[in-house]
Amino acid sequence: MNNLEKRRKPLVDNGFGKQWLGCLVTKLGADWQKVYCRGSWDNLHYEGGTLTFSTETAYGPMNEVFKLIKDIYPSLQIYYCAEEDGWGYYATNDTQGVHFPERFKVESEWETEYPTSIEDACSCVSKLIGKEVKTREELEKAIEEWNDNLSMDDDDKRIYFHEYKVEENEYL
């Protein structure tokens, strides 16, 4: 991946540049037209035996690319945390929460928080709305009431709450 980033031109002509996932698929010896690889990577970092990078993709994690990497390097453990706001898709395969402990996302105009527990999410929402909520049910009701009471002019003051689905991927 480092070598692909350092190239003058992408390994494969594309609209994403040198860090297109199709270039990585090609470098790994597979056909980018047969492996779903929509998107690119960035923030490549290797330290202490751990390789991390971010991907910007469409619709969800690039499981076919991850499977290809795992097939070539079977000793690797691959963990992801994926967000696709437009589709309402929030997921991780980090079942133990070691690499991605966040289980919720609370968004507002003022901040975005990634709580690790429902109690932490309740605390975030309580601060935003100025009213204490202690349970998930209270949290969801308070957000609904908050958003329902906003005028059209205040639409940007909405609060959003999302839960990360924990996915089991047998090949990762």
Side-chain angles (χ1 to χ4, degrees):
M1 291 173 83
N2 250 342
N3 288 341
L4 289 171
E5 287 182 348
K6 291 177 184 175
R7 292 176 60 94
R8 207 173 332 164
K9 292 183 176 182
L11 183 61
V12 177
D13 256 350
N14 65 84
F16 290 102
K18 300 179 289 186
Q19 292 161 260
W20 176 51
L21 290 170
C23 293
L24 177 59
V25 167
T26 300
K27 185 71 172 174
L28 293 172
D31 184 345
W32 67 267
Q33 293 176 326
K34 294 181 180 175
V35 175
Y36 188 69
C37 55
R38 183 177 177 154
S40 59
W41 81 84
D42 61 4
N43 302 316
L44 184 63
H45 184 73
Y46 182 77
E47 184 177 323
T50 301
L51 173 67
T52 60
F53 59 92
S54 302
T55 60
E56 186 166 331
T57 63
Y59 313 119
M62 293 292 101
N63 289 326
E64 289 185 36
V65 174
F66 295 154
K67 182 179 182 328
L68 172 65
I69 294 169
K70 182 74 172 177
D71 287 348
I72 294 169
Y73 301 103
S75 65
L76 287 181
Q77 293 182 324
I78 299 174
Y79 298 99
Y80 63 80
C81 180
E83 293 184 14
E84 179 27 281
D85 292 327
W87 290 72
Y89 177 79
Y90 299 84
T92 182
N93 71 332
D94 185 0
T95 58
Q96 301 301 311
V98 173
H99 303 283
F100 298 104
E102 304 82 7
R103 293 299 186 238
F104 303 95
K105 181 178 181 181
V106 177
E107 279 183 284
S108 72
E109 169 189 40
W110 310 281
E111 61 186 280
T112 300
E113 297 286 333
Y114 291 90
T116 58
S117 68
I118 193 65
E119 293 80 17
D120 290 343
C122 287
S123 177
C124 290
V125 171
S126 294
K127 289 176 192 168
L128 289 171
I129 66 172
K131 171 185 167 187
E132 186 174 22
V133 294
K134 293 183 178 183
T135 66
R136 182 185 184 118
E137 293 76 24
E138 289 176 4
L139 175 144
E140 290 174 348
K141 184 178 179 192
I143 290 173
E144 183 179 347
E145 288 173 1
W146 174 270
N147 289 341
D148 284 349
N149 288 321
L150 294 174
S151 71
M152 294 291 275
D153 294 335
D154 290 332
D155 200 44
D156 60 341
K157 292 182 172 63
R158 291 187 166 281
I159 297 172
Y160 301 94
F161 172 71
H162 310 284
E163 181 173 4
Y164 285 88
K165 177 183 171 193
V166 178
E167 303 178 329
E168 298 273 342
N169 282 341
E170 67 279 357
Y171 54 82
L172 300 180

